[in-house]
Amino acid sequence: MNLQSIAIIATCVLSPLVIMWLTYRFKILRQIGNIILAYAIGCLLGLFGLIPNTPEVHELQSQIAAYAVPFAIPLMLYSSNVKAWAHLAPNFAKSLIAGLVACVAAVVIGFFIFKGNDADRFAKIGGMLTGLYTGGTTNIASIKVALGVDNATYLMVHTYSIVVSALYLLLIVVFGKRIFGLILRPFNAIDAEEVAKNEDADQDVSTHDDELFNGIFRRDILPGVGRAMLLTIAIIAIGFTTKFLPFVSEDAFQAVFILTISLLAIVASFVRRIRRIKRTFEVGTYFILVFSVAVASQVSVDMFANMDYSFMLYTLVVTMGALVMHVIFNKLMRVDVDTTLVTSISLICSPPFVPVMAGALGNRAVIGPGIAVGLIGYAIGTYIGFAAAMLLIALA
């Protein structure tokens, strides 16, 4: 490992500690939120060239992000109250359906705007975008094979979706609650909190945002955090063993891995002694900050050069159109803003981004159901994407 790699790892690992300290120290930064600050700092590092824009560096950044998420998800789920999820399930189910319909509708609308004389290619692109935005990379790879898409088009889908997803994340994480909160009703946490209080009256259900940095490093907190970390490592190890199961393909491993560690963490949350370990959610937030800096710092000026603008605009219309229609559908069904935003990011960006959105919202109750929505997307995304492509080919 060279000095450059060490410096990048140190930046991604240590800058979240600085962010946590700053939000602990300064009220105005605490009001902005540590997740937003992490994305802002990461974007600035990338746009100003402080982190080199090379394939090797991007691979390292992706690896850092990939390693951070498996630690974050269990730690943020240990304090969950699964009984409270039953109160949230109807809205999440409605929002899932609305998100899937919105994505397909945006793909169809964008197709008729941009297809020009290349309808077949745009139909296949539309199918891949549908699979990507209802499932993930696993689904898009399967759709590529099923539709016989060439490698150049496949790589363009990946590249442009990264650029547009960066814009989408900036909008939804930084401004989503403020903008769409004007349209959608607020999240009603009364039922969820009441269940938690009734089940375990002495359980601490506050978020401790003002003590995020200081609270983790207190002497009375560290032993519990250490035990939670050991449990998390054990859960990750078990999840990793699913890679060797004969019925788990390489393409399906990510979805199975996320499902396994999430399920084990939820099971652990039923153990009162584990659920009552203090600051596990906040430690999980630290790993989400690592993830956020690593992902955001991949943004570069070069991403916006040498683009096929018709395809770029198609990707933009699909992404933002899906978001806008999702909000409209949920407004009609009276789904709250937190559920809408978490469902949207889980479908468009995949389950690992759910804790990021939950952190920006300051709402831990939506993490479990949000991840579940994304896992359902993994399961059905390939079929929806392929069906969308066939529909577009027929309509052309």
Side-chain angles (χ1 to χ4, degrees), residues 107-171:
V107 164
V108 172
I109 292 170
F111 172 76
F112 282 106
I113 295 174
F114 296 104
K115 67 174 182 174
N117 297 321
D118 200 4
D120 184 72
R121 180 166 175 260
F122 271 88
K124 292 178 179 179
I125 290 170
M128 286 192 290
L129 288 176
T130 304
L132 182 63
Y133 290 154
T134 57
T137 305
T138 301
N139 304 86
I140 192 176
S142 301
I143 294 169
K144 172 191 181 296
V145 175
L147 296 176
V149 177
D150 60 90
N151 287 332
T153 301
Y154 176 71
L155 289 174
M156 273 207 308
V157 171
H158 262 299
T159 303
Y160 293 172
S161 66
I162 289 172
V163 175
V164 173
S165 293
L167 297 174
Y168 165 85
L169 281 170
L170 177 66
L171 170 65

Side-chain angles (χ1 to χ4, degrees), residues 212-390:
L212 183 57
F213 180 83
N214 186 49
I216 291 175
F217 298 101
R218 280 174 20 200
R219 286 186 179 180
D220 59 323
I221 298 297
L222 280 175
V225 169
R227 291 193 296 272
M229 285 297 296
L230 289 174
L231 176 60
T232 301
I233 292 170
I235 285 175
I236 292 171
I238 295 171
F240 185 76
T241 62
T242 61
K243 185 174 185 177
F244 304 104
L245 295 175
F247 54 84
V248 177
S249 66
E250 185 176 347
D251 289 340
F253 171 66
Q254 182 183 13
V256 174
F257 176 67
I258 294 294
L259 174 62
T260 301
I261 65 173
S262 300
L263 180 61
L264 291 174
I266 290 168
V267 171
S269 73
F270 283 97
V271 180
R272 184 177 181 183
R273 187 175 177 182
I274 295 173
R275 191 172 64 252
R276 294 184 65 188
I277 297 175
K278 295 182 179 179
R279 297 298 193 270
T280 54
F281 185 86
E282 286 76 7
V283 177
T285 300
Y286 162 76
F287 285 103
I288 287 301
L289 295 179
V290 172
F291 172 87
S292 300
V293 172
V295 169
S297 60
Q298 295 184 51
V299 175
S300 68
V301 175
D302 292 344
M303 282 185 169
F304 301 93
N306 303 318
M307 283 189 171
D308 179 336
Y309 285 98
S310 62
F311 177 36
M312 175 65 182
L313 289 173
Y314 183 28
T315 308
L316 183 64
V317 166
V318 170
T319 308
M320 299 306 173
L323 173 61
V324 170
M325 283 189 279
H326 193 176
V327 169
I328 293 172
F329 293 156
N330 278 1
K331 171 67 175 179
L332 297 175
M333 294 188 294
R334 295 187 53 78
V335 176
D336 64 90
V337 62
D338 287 20
T339 298
T340 300
L341 294 177
V342 167
T343 307
S344 177
I345 204 169
S346 187
L347 289 173
I348 291 179
C349 292
S350 77
F353 285 85
V354 169
V356 177
M357 192 71 246
L361 294 170
N363 185 354
R364 71 178 68 184
V366 297
I367 295 176
I371 291 174
V373 164
L375 291 172
I376 293 172
Y378 275 146
I380 64 177
T382 298
Y383 305 103
I384 294 178
F386 184 78
M390 292 297 100

Side-chain angles (χ1 to χ4, degrees), residues 183-201:
I183 303 169
L184 300 167
R185 69 181 183 86
F187 177 79
N188 184 3
I190 295 176
D191 290 338
E193 292 292 334
E194 201 60 41
V195 171
K197 289 177 183 177
N198 289 339
E199 185 188 69
D200 194 354

